[in-house]
mmCIF file of all heavy atoms in Angstrom:
data_model
loop_
_atom_site.group_PDB
_atom_site.id
_atom_site.type_symbol
_atom_site.label_atom_id
_atom_site.label_comp_id
_atom_site.label_asym_id
_atom_site.label_seq_id
_atom_site.Cartn_x
_atom_site.Cartn_y
_atom_site.Cartn_z
ATOM 1 N N GLU I 225 -15.822 25.130 2.830
ATOM 2 C CA GLU I 225 -15.183 26.425 2.612
ATOM 3 C C GLU I 225 -15.229 26.812 1.134
ATOM 4 O O GLU I 225 -15.586 27.943 0.785
ATOM 5 C CB GLU I 225 -13.735 26.372 3.094
ATOM 6 C CG GLU I 225 -12.998 27.692 2.911
ATOM 7 C CD GLU I 225 -11.559 27.625 3.368
ATOM 8 O OE1 GLU I 225 -11.131 26.560 3.873
ATOM 9 O OE2 GLU I 225 -10.854 28.641 3.222
ATOM 10 N N ILE I 226 -14.889 25.877 0.260
ATOM 11 C CA ILE I 226 -14.908 26.162 -1.177
ATOM 12 C C ILE I 226 -16.333 26.418 -1.646
ATOM 13 O O ILE I 226 -16.599 27.362 -2.400
ATOM 14 C CB ILE I 226 -14.288 24.991 -1.955
ATOM 15 C CG1 ILE I 226 -12.831 24.783 -1.540
ATOM 16 C CG2 ILE I 226 -14.369 25.246 -3.466
ATOM 17 C CD1 ILE I 226 -12.259 23.462 -2.000
ATOM 18 N N ALA I 227 -17.257 25.580 -1.189
ATOM 19 C CA ALA I 227 -18.652 25.751 -1.588
ATOM 20 C C ALA I 227 -19.204 27.079 -1.090
ATOM 21 O O ALA I 227 -19.941 27.770 -1.800
ATOM 22 C CB ALA I 227 -19.491 24.589 -1.064
ATOM 23 N N GLY I 228 -18.844 27.444 0.132
ATOM 24 C CA GLY I 228 -19.326 28.707 0.683
ATOM 25 C C GLY I 228 -18.851 29.910 -0.108
ATOM 26 O O GLY I 228 -19.617 30.842 -0.369
ATOM 27 N N ARG I 229 -17.589 29.882 -0.511
ATOM 28 C CA ARG I 229 -17.053 30.978 -1.317
ATOM 29 C C ARG I 229 -17.785 31.108 -2.648
ATOM 30 O O ARG I 229 -17.860 32.193 -3.226
ATOM 31 C CB ARG I 229 -15.560 30.771 -1.587
ATOM 32 C CG ARG I 229 -14.658 31.022 -0.406
ATOM 33 C CD ARG I 229 -13.229 31.292 -0.853
ATOM 34 N NE ARG I 229 -12.699 30.265 -1.732
ATOM 35 C CZ ARG I 229 -11.997 29.218 -1.323
ATOM 36 N NH1 ARG I 229 -11.768 29.041 -0.033
ATOM 37 N NH2 ARG I 229 -11.525 28.345 -2.183
ATOM 38 N N ASN I 230 -18.310 29.974 -3.109
ATOM 39 C CA ASN I 230 -18.986 29.968 -4.402
ATOM 40 C C ASN I 230 -20.511 29.884 -4.265
ATOM 41 O O ASN I 230 -21.215 29.620 -5.243
ATOM 42 C CB ASN I 230 -18.470 28.795 -5.244
ATOM 43 C CG ASN I 230 -17.040 29.003 -5.686
ATOM 44 O OD1 ASN I 230 -16.780 29.689 -6.663
ATOM 45 N ND2 ASN I 230 -16.094 28.416 -4.954
ATOM 46 N N LEU I 231 -21.010 30.104 -3.051
ATOM 47 C CA LEU I 231 -22.450 30.168 -2.777
ATOM 48 C C LEU I 231 -23.182 28.902 -3.204
ATOM 49 O O LEU I 231 -24.251 28.950 -3.803
ATOM 50 C CB LEU I 231 -23.062 31.399 -3.452
ATOM 51 C CG LEU I 231 -22.454 32.745 -3.017
ATOM 52 C CD1 LEU I 231 -23.106 33.886 -3.771
ATOM 53 C CD2 LEU I 231 -22.593 32.938 -1.514
ATOM 54 N N LYS I 232 -22.598 27.751 -2.864
ATOM 55 C CA LYS I 232 -23.229 26.465 -3.158
ATOM 56 C C LYS I 232 -23.690 25.816 -1.847
ATOM 57 O O LYS I 232 -22.967 25.823 -0.844
ATOM 58 C CB LYS I 232 -22.233 25.514 -3.846
ATOM 59 C CG LYS I 232 -21.497 26.099 -5.044
ATOM 60 C CD LYS I 232 -22.394 26.247 -6.241
ATOM 61 C CE LYS I 232 -21.634 26.882 -7.414
ATOM 62 N NZ LYS I 232 -20.646 25.978 -8.017
ATOM 63 N N LYS I 233 -24.881 25.251 -1.867
ATOM 64 C CA LYS I 233 -25.364 24.544 -0.684
ATOM 65 C C LYS I 233 -24.590 23.239 -0.494
ATOM 66 O O LYS I 233 -24.207 22.575 -1.463
ATOM 67 C CB LYS I 233 -26.858 24.234 -0.808
ATOM 68 C CG LYS I 233 -27.383 23.499 0.424
ATOM 69 C CD LYS I 233 -28.871 23.283 0.420
ATOM 70 C CE LYS I 233 -29.270 22.556 1.697
ATOM 71 N NZ LYS I 233 -30.713 22.331 1.807
ATOM 72 N N VAL I 234 -24.383 22.865 0.770
ATOM 73 C CA VAL I 234 -23.642 21.655 1.101
ATOM 74 C C VAL I 234 -24.432 20.824 2.117
ATOM 75 O O VAL I 234 -25.055 21.366 3.029
ATOM 76 C CB VAL I 234 -22.268 22.001 1.720
ATOM 77 C CG1 VAL I 234 -21.512 20.738 2.095
ATOM 78 C CG2 VAL I 234 -21.443 22.819 0.754
ATOM 79 N N VAL I 235 -24.403 19.506 1.944
ATOM 80 C CA VAL I 235 -24.850 18.558 2.961
ATOM 81 C C VAL I 235 -23.624 17.781 3.403
ATOM 82 O O VAL I 235 -22.880 17.255 2.569
ATOM 83 C CB VAL I 235 -25.929 17.605 2.417
ATOM 84 C CG1 VAL I 235 -26.168 16.451 3.387
ATOM 85 C CG2 VAL I 235 -27.233 18.358 2.177
ATOM 86 N N LEU I 236 -23.385 17.737 4.714
ATOM 87 C CA LEU I 236 -22.202 17.070 5.249
ATOM 88 C C LEU I 236 -22.598 15.995 6.251
ATOM 89 O O LEU I 236 -23.365 16.256 7.176
ATOM 90 C CB LEU I 236 -21.289 18.073 5.959
ATOM 91 C CG LEU I 236 -20.702 19.222 5.123
ATOM 92 C CD1 LEU I 236 -19.876 20.135 6.006
ATOM 93 C CD2 LEU I 236 -19.875 18.680 3.967
ATOM 94 N N GLU I 237 -22.065 14.797 6.053
ATOM 95 C CA GLU I 237 -22.197 13.727 7.051
ATOM 96 C C GLU I 237 -20.780 13.337 7.418
ATOM 97 O O GLU I 237 -20.070 12.716 6.628
ATOM 98 C CB GLU I 237 -22.997 12.545 6.493
ATOM 99 C CG GLU I 237 -23.479 11.579 7.577
ATOM 100 C CD GLU I 237 -22.492 10.479 7.884
ATOM 101 O OE1 GLU I 237 -22.488 9.471 7.178
ATOM 102 O OE2 GLU I 237 -21.713 10.651 8.858
ATOM 103 N N LEU I 238 -20.366 13.706 8.623
ATOM 104 C CA LEU I 238 -18.971 13.568 9.015
ATOM 105 C C LEU I 238 -18.825 12.514 10.106
ATOM 106 O O LEU I 238 -19.531 11.520 10.106
ATOM 107 C CB LEU I 238 -18.437 14.943 9.438
ATOM 108 C CG LEU I 238 -18.690 16.064 8.411
ATOM 109 C CD1 LEU I 238 -18.202 17.406 8.929
ATOM 110 C CD2 LEU I 238 -18.072 15.739 7.062
ATOM 111 N N GLY I 239 -17.920 12.713 11.027
ATOM 112 C CA GLY I 239 -17.634 11.674 12.001
ATOM 113 C C GLY I 239 -18.699 11.534 13.072
ATOM 114 O O GLY I 239 -19.658 12.298 13.144
ATOM 115 N N GLY I 240 -18.488 10.544 13.924
ATOM 116 C CA GLY I 240 -19.399 10.315 15.038
ATOM 117 C C GLY I 240 -18.691 9.568 16.152
ATOM 118 O O GLY I 240 -17.769 8.792 15.911
ATOM 119 N N SER I 241 -19.117 9.835 17.374
ATOM 120 C CA SER I 241 -18.644 9.068 18.530
ATOM 121 C C SER I 241 -19.864 8.736 19.372
ATOM 122 O O SER I 241 -20.010 9.181 20.512
ATOM 123 C CB SER I 241 -17.606 9.865 19.326
ATOM 124 O OG SER I 241 -17.014 9.052 20.324
ATOM 125 N N ASP I 242 -20.749 7.960 18.769
ATOM 126 C CA ASP I 242 -22.085 7.751 19.320
ATOM 127 C C ASP I 242 -22.060 7.041 20.670
ATOM 128 O O ASP I 242 -21.379 6.023 20.838
ATOM 129 C CB ASP I 242 -22.930 6.933 18.341
ATOM 130 C CG ASP I 242 -23.218 7.683 17.052
ATOM 131 O OD1 ASP I 242 -22.646 8.771 16.866
ATOM 132 O OD2 ASP I 242 -24.002 7.175 16.238
ATOM 133 N N PRO I 243 -22.838 7.551 21.630
ATOM 134 C CA PRO I 243 -22.944 6.885 22.921
ATOM 135 C C PRO I 243 -23.946 5.725 22.884
ATOM 136 O O PRO I 243 -24.950 5.774 22.164
ATOM 137 C CB PRO I 243 -23.446 7.993 23.841
ATOM 138 C CG PRO I 243 -24.274 8.870 22.936
ATOM 139 C CD PRO I 243 -23.576 8.829 21.604
ATOM 140 N N PHE I 244 -23.656 4.704 23.653
ATOM 141 C CA PHE I 244 -24.586 3.606 23.940
ATOM 142 C C PHE I 244 -24.851 3.709 25.436
ATOM 143 O O PHE I 244 -23.990 3.381 26.256
ATOM 144 C CB PHE I 244 -23.954 2.263 23.567
ATOM 145 C CG PHE I 244 -24.830 1.061 23.825
ATOM 146 C CD1 PHE I 244 -25.495 0.436 22.788
ATOM 147 C CD2 PHE I 244 -24.964 0.540 25.116
ATOM 148 C CE1 PHE I 244 -26.289 -0.684 23.025
ATOM 149 C CE2 PHE I 244 -25.757 -0.573 25.347
ATOM 150 C CZ PHE I 244 -26.421 -1.187 24.299
ATOM 151 N N ILE I 245 -26.032 4.216 25.795
ATOM 152 C CA ILE I 245 -26.342 4.511 27.190
ATOM 153 C C ILE I 245 -27.222 3.406 27.766
ATOM 154 O O ILE I 245 -28.325 3.153 27.268
ATOM 155 C CB ILE I 245 -27.066 5.869 27.307
ATOM 156 C CG1 ILE I 245 -26.230 6.981 26.658
ATOM 157 C CG2 ILE I 245 -27.361 6.197 28.759
ATOM 158 C CD1 ILE I 245 -26.988 8.293 26.508
ATOM 159 N N LEU I 246 -26.745 2.764 28.805
ATOM 160 C CA LEU I 246 -27.514 1.709 29.479
ATOM 161 C C LEU I 246 -27.864 2.170 30.884
ATOM 162 O O LEU I 246 -27.005 2.281 31.755
ATOM 163 C CB LEU I 246 -26.697 0.416 29.540
ATOM 164 C CG LEU I 246 -27.332 -0.753 30.303
ATOM 165 C CD1 LEU I 246 -28.670 -1.157 29.676
ATOM 166 C CD2 LEU I 246 -26.383 -1.944 30.373
ATOM 167 N N LEU I 247 -29.164 2.454 31.101
ATOM 168 C CA LEU I 247 -29.633 2.930 32.402
ATOM 169 C C LEU I 247 -30.408 1.864 33.173
ATOM 170 O O LEU I 247 -30.400 1.853 34.404
ATOM 171 C CB LEU I 247 -30.491 4.180 32.221
ATOM 172 C CG LEU I 247 -29.757 5.389 31.616
ATOM 173 C CD1 LEU I 247 -30.721 6.548 31.424
ATOM 174 C CD2 LEU I 247 -28.581 5.801 32.489
#
Side-chain angles (χ1 to χ4, degrees):
E225 180 181 358
I226 299 166
R229 286 201 307 267
N230 290 278
L231 301 178
K232 310 288 178 71
K233 180 174 180 178
V234 179
V235 168
L236 299 178
E237 195 271 276
L238 309 177
S241 188
D242 294 7
F244 180 102
I245 304 169
L246 176 60
L247 297 177

